[in-house]
Amino acid sequence: MSDIAAPEVWLWQRLETLARSVLARYGFEELRTPIVEFESVFTRSLGETTDVVQKEMYVFEKGGRRLALRPEGTAGVMRHAAGLGVPETDGARWFYVGPMFRSERPQAGRRRQFHQIGVECLEPPSPLVDAEILALQVELLRAWGLCDCQVRLGTRGQAGAHGPVAEGLRSALEPHRLHLCEDCQRRFAGNVLRVLDCKNPDCQAVVAQLPAPVDFMDESARAYLADVAAHLDQLGVAYQIDPRLVRGLDYYEHTVWEIEGSGLGAQNAVAGGGRYKMKIGSRELVGVGFAIGLERVVAMLAALGRDQDLLVQPPPLVWLVGMGEEATRQNLVLMQSLRAGGLACRMAPGGSLKSQMRAANKAGAAWCIIRGEQELSQANATLKNMSTGDQRLVVLESLVAEIVTAAPPL
Ligand code: HAM
């Protein structure tokens, strides 16, 4: 888990601002769900046998209830939806930005706290909507300057038809069963699709020889995928069909995708998403959505040398310097009126002129406004341009105009 401080945090702010404007154009509203939920919110929808639920969730007990730090955003959004009526959720489009938690083995690209921007769209299932949402994800990455990502597209088939896929995979795996890792021995019986996701090289060697899950699906699943692909072609979104793509969460049905970026090393998935179905209480909710890992976006931008282009510098800082107690007191009032005029201001009250100027330099102030007894009596101030060193007397009423003319606020 890491802190995100300036100047990197300026990049994060810029990414979020750009994303919000793209998301608004697609009709998405922000939804802020709690970081802590009942554990069951995740176990019931992500799947009991997924790695995220079995190994990676931070779970704790409080007041006799089992709670968890959210490992992803979809389950919380659907918990929210399930509490609403059908009219409120029908056609809802929500996005979220925030931290997620997975207790994974730390390595490059894997954080225990990481951040996602994600969307969930609860419109009636349709390949057209799936294509629109995938196109949105590609547009978001483009808005950040990431134009060279690879989209892998696959299908999980219809939720009710998972039986034949599991059976087909089990019989294909049976002769290789003893070569699978301990986890996969368990997955074989419990949730055989998860074997396809295993990172163990021996298991991967076995998986490479298996037929793809799509080979065990019925015609309707293949037709749905072909429809999504046709809409993407129409939209000019490039993709590669990956018949083995299953994704690590159990709620998916039909369309799934993953987006890979360059410069990320082994953890090269920058984003993933798909269509899903969840039963929560008496409600069955279907939707399509995705999440983008922001740490990975930042890493990609840095690897491409594009992070600096996106940094939003804070507005030029004005530092108020007071010589003497009265000037310092009056500067507090002046500072508020300058802020009301749109300027970013600070001061370091109490020190000598030298120490105040040092503080201004350290903070990277663009301007200093210096006042002593004489300036107070004449209702003016010395305005110093910190980059050129030029300074001159300016009447108080003109201070904002003088500074804004020289450097308009961003
Ligand atoms: P996910 O593939 O588990 O999907 O995560 C989405 C993205 O979050 C990944 O592609 C990756 O960039 C980032 N990510 C995941 N784990 C970590 C980690 N430990 N450290 C850094 N980044 C990480 C989901 O979370 C689904 N909820 C997406 C979704 C929404 N599907 C439908 N709607």
Side-chain angles (χ1 to χ4, degrees), residues 181-370:
C181 73
E182 234 173 79
D183 277 347
C184 282
Q185 307 272 349
R186 256 186 295 111
R187 290 170 181 145
F188 180 89
N191 189 350
V192 68
L193 214 59
R194 296 270 71 86
V195 175
L196 304 195
D197 247 3
C198 184
K199 303 289 174 281
N200 180 304
D202 293 340
C203 300
Q204 284 182 345
V206 171
V207 166
Q209 302 168 35
L210 293 182
V214 74
D215 296 344
F216 305 110
M217 289 175 197
D218 62 13
E219 195 40 48
S220 68
R222 274 192 280 260
Y224 191 103
L225 178 63
D227 262 0
V228 176
H231 289 302
L232 289 173
D233 291 339
Q234 238 183 343
L235 291 170
V237 173
Y239 61 87
Q240 269 184 337
I241 299 279
D242 180 349
R244 284 168 198 275
L245 180 66
V246 291
R247 306 260 307 129
L249 305 164
D250 277 348
Y251 50 56
Y252 291 111
E253 76 161 349
H254 283 303
T255 322
V256 284
W257 65 83
E258 234 159 61
I259 301 191
E260 285 169 12
S262 47
L264 287 178
Q267 303 304 319
N268 61 356
V270 69
R275 171 159 291 288
Y276 50 85
K277 183 183 274 175
M278 283 180 202
K279 191 154 169 43
I280 305 179
S282 58
R283 292 282 304 272
E284 188 174 75
L285 291 152
V286 293
V288 58
F290 62 73
I292 306 179
L294 286 172
E295 278 77 4
R296 294 191 189 168
V297 168
V298 169
M300 275 176 74
L301 287 168
L304 294 165
R306 294 192 197 139
D307 48 343
Q308 296 301 317
D309 306 343
L310 284 168
L311 285 191
V312 182
Q313 307 276 347
L317 183 62
V318 179
W319 204 270
L320 283 93
V321 177
M323 289 181 293
E325 215 171 291
E326 185 52 26
T328 304
R329 281 160 58 92
Q330 296 286 333
N331 274 355
L332 178 63
V333 179
L334 176 62
M335 188 160 66
Q336 291 303 76
S337 69
L338 295 174
R339 284 174 179 154
L343 298 180
C345 304
R346 281 187 59 191
M347 65 196 285
S352 64
L353 173 66
K354 202 168 157 198
S355 75
Q356 291 182 60
M357 295 303 288
R358 206 181 304 126
N361 262 321
K362 189 168 167 222
W367 303 91
C368 274
I369 291 173
I370 307 161

Side-chain angles (χ1 to χ4, degrees), residues 72 74 102 104 111 116 120 247 251-252 269-271 289 293:
E72 58 98 62
T74 314
R102 294 183 193 176
E104 300 195 69
R111 301 289 171 134
Q116 290 184 342
E120 311 300 344
R247 306 260 307 129
Y251 50 56
Y252 291 111
V270 69

